Structure formats: structure tokens, C-alpha cells
């Protein structure tokens, strides 16, 4: 949790403009709407950031006196039935009753070269990106920033576990040293084949599905599933902190634990 000391308030449109200028959501084909998903108070003094617009985060934001929430995973996704019932009704009722703005950015936040999930995950793991790969250039490919290498896949897994504070699922063969590493946060298991084609010796993401274990063994490229939530904690906090400092707003990042 982090807090910046405020001295001003801004309009919700000014806050939206700051996010949009940085992330340029119009460039992306996404799975849901990016931007202001729920309209709240006209004036924003305190911004809360978190990974997902869960009821727990909304309740924590209300307790913190928020006027706005920024998340990576918003409320609305392609393919939903569109009914405001159950969990959706509960979350919306809390936001509307407290007049809180909800801003959400999905793929634009993953992709930002400095403040995005992949850029920030790379910083957290001490990796320096040299190129992008995959659909919409969301994947990052690079090497350890210090110029060294990991002696084997398990050494890379141990490094990630220390950095992220959670266990890692590793699938690999008896590989030697690794210095060409690809990564894409969250549920990016579908990017594994593109990472292999880009020349990666290891691929870091949040989740694993059944096919990836076979690809890893057959292609000799290590696959490391490090948690969807765990790999996407850093971009939203970095973006909110940057914009809050720019606009002189109060900001608090609240991490709602998620084992996924």
C-alpha cells in the first residue's frame, strides 16, 4: 500500500484524459471496454488502484474515502449476458451508492512500455526487454538486466519465487544456461508458441493450460506459470502512482490477495 500526499482535486474527465493520453486504448482490440466504466463523482481527490474490481477492493476503496478506482480487470467483458444480478449487482450497487468512478484498462495497460504490466514485471524480475512479439506486440523478449544468465530453469524459477513471493509451476527439460527470456503477464499461455518462434529459452506468464506442458518438453523451452494476479500487481500501481503525482492526487494501491 502506498500513499501520495494531495493538495488538489481534478475532474473525472481530466483524470480520464490523463489515463487515455498515456495508454492510447484506441490502438487495441480488447475483450472489454477500456476507460471510464462506471461514472461517479464529478470531482476526484483520492484515487485507489487495484488489480480487479472485486467487491473486496470496492469495499476497501469506500473505507479509504476514494472518489475513483483504477483497475486492470474491470466489470464488463465481451460475451457477458448483460444482466445486473448477483455479484454484478452487488459491485455496481456499492460503486453507485458511494459515487465512485471506476476506470479500467486491460490490454493497453499490459502493453505500455514503461508503466505497463509487462514492463513493470520485467523491472521486478530484473529483466531488460530488447524486442516485442506476439499479437498486438504484447509479449516482451529480453535478458537479465545485469548481463548474466540463469544456470538452469530451476534457478530462474527460484529467482521468480523470491521476487513475487509465491510458488511457480515450472515445466522444462534438462536445459543448460538461460539468457533469452520471454514474458507476458496474466493469462498469456497462448503466447507460448510465439515466444518459442521468437527464440526464447524460457517463457514467464501467469497461467498454464494443458498444451503448454507438451510444447515445453517437446521444444526444450522452459515454461513458468507464476500466477495471473501475481504477475499483474505492478502495472496498475505504477500507472496510478504516475498519474496521481502528475495531477497531485492522493493515491493508495490496495492488493487484494488472490491465489490464482
Amino acid at each position: 500500500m502506498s500513499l501520495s500526499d494531495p493538495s488538489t482535486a481534478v475532474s473525472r474527465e481530466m483524470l480520464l484524459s490523463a489515463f487515455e493520453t498515456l495508454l492510447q486504448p484506441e490502438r487495441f482490440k480488447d475483450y472489454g471496454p477500456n476507460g471510464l466504466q462506471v461514472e461517479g463523482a464529478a470531482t476526484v481527490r483520492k484515487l485507489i488502484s487495484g488489480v480487479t474490481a472485486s467487491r473486496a477492493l470496492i469495499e476497501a476503496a469506500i473505507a479509504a474515502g476514494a472518489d475513483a478506482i483504477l483497475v486492470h480487470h474491470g466489470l464488463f467483458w465481451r460475451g457477458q449476458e448483460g444482466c445486473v444480478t448477483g455479484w454484478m449487482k452487488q459491485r455496481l450497487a456499492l460503486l453507485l451508492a458511494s459515487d465512485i468512478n471506476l476506470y479500467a484498462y486491460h490490454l493497453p495497460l499490459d502493453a505500455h512500455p514503461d508503466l505497463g504490466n509487462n514492463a513493470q514485471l520485467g523491472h521486478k524480475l530484473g529483466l531488460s526487454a530488447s524486442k516485442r512479439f506476439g499479437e498486438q506486440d504484447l509479449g516482451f523478449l529480453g535478458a537479465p538486466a545485469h548481463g548474466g544468465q540463469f544456470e538452469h530453469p530451476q534457478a530462474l524459477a527460484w529467482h521468480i519465487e523470491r521476487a513475487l513471493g509465491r510458488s511457480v509451476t515450472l515445466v522444462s527439460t534438462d536445459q543448460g544456461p538461460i539468457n533469452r527470456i520471454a514474458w507476458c503477464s496474466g493469462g498469456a499461455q497462448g503466447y507460448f508458441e510465439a515466444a518459442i518462434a521468437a527464440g526464447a529459452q524460457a517463457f514467464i506468464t501467469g497461467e498454464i493450460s494443458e498444451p503448454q506442458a507438451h510444447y515445453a518438453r517437446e521444444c526444450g523451452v522452459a515454461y513458468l506459470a507464476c500466477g495471473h494476479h501475481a504477475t499483474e500487481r505492478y502495472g496498475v500501481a505504477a500507472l496510478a502512482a504516475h498519474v496521481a503525482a502528475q495531477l497531485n492526487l492522493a493515491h493508495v494501491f490496495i492488493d487484494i490477495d488472490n491465489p490464482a
Side-chain angles (χ1 to χ4, degrees):
M1 183 176 293
S2 62
L3 176 65
S4 58
D5 183 22
S7 61
T8 61
V10 302
S11 70
R12 64 169 172 263
E13 289 79 14
M14 184 179 293
L15 181 56
L16 176 63
S17 178
F19 291 142
E20 302 273 306
T21 299
L22 282 167
L23 298 182
Q24 301 178 15
E26 68 279 0
R27 295 174 48 237
F28 296 87
K29 182 180 178 181
D30 213 332
Y31 308 102
N34 290 293
L36 181 62
Q37 289 196 349
V38 179
E39 184 179 299
T43 300
V44 175
R45 292 179 175 82
K46 189 170 188 180
L47 173 65
I48 297 294
S49 62
V51 177
T52 299
S54 64
R55 190 174 73 180
L57 178 65
I58 296 168
E59 289 173 340
I62 293 169
D67 304 297
I69 302 173
L70 172 70
V71 296
H72 179 51
H73 302 134
L75 291 180
F76 307 108
W77 300 96
R78 190 171 62 210
Q80 285 177 325
E81 293 182 356
C83 299
V84 183
T85 59
W87 62 266
M88 178 67 82
K89 184 260 185 182
Q90 294 168 12
R91 295 183 192 183
L92 279 172
L94 287 168
L95 289 167
L96 295 172
S98 298
D99 212 17
I100 295 177
N101 295 283
L102 177 67
Y103 301 87
Y105 292 93
H106 187 232
L107 297 185
L109 180 57
D110 288 322
H112 193 276
D114 301 309
L115 302 171
N117 282 325
N118 291 320
Q120 290 295 311
L121 179 62
H123 293 327
K124 185 69 176 178
L125 298 180
L127 303 176
S128 177
S130 57
K131 64 180 290 187
R132 307 283 280 270
F133 71 91
E135 185 180 357
Q136 302 190 76
D137 285 335
L138 293 176
F140 282 40
L141 179 70
H146 54 72
Q149 61 186 13
F150 294 94
E151 292 306 315
H152 44 74
Q154 187 60 64
L156 176 57
W158 288 332
H159 169 73
I160 296 170
E161 288 179 343
R162 288 192 297 270
L164 301 187
R166 62 157 290 150
S167 61
V168 167
T169 297
L170 168 65
V171 182
S172 70
T173 56
D174 294 329
Q175 294 172 246
I178 292 173
N179 61 13
R180 294 193 309 277
I181 300 169
W183 67 97
C184 192
S185 67
Q189 54 266 59
Y191 277 62
F192 188 31
E193 291 174 271
I196 294 170
Q201 297 169 305
F203 179 61
I204 299 166
T205 188
E207 302 179 6
I208 185 169
S209 298
E210 193 273 348
Q212 284 79 52
H214 299 293
Y215 300 155
R217 292 167 182 153
E218 293 169 17
C219 297
V221 177
Y223 189 100
L224 300 102
C226 310
H228 193 132
H229 177 87
T231 58
E232 295 192 328
R233 286 178 293 190
Y234 307 106
V236 68
L239 172 64
H242 177 88
V243 170
Q246 182 182 53
L247 300 179
N248 208 21
L249 291 173
H251 165 242
V252 179
F253 171 69
I254 298 177
D255 189 18
I256 303 297
D257 182 60
N258 189 329

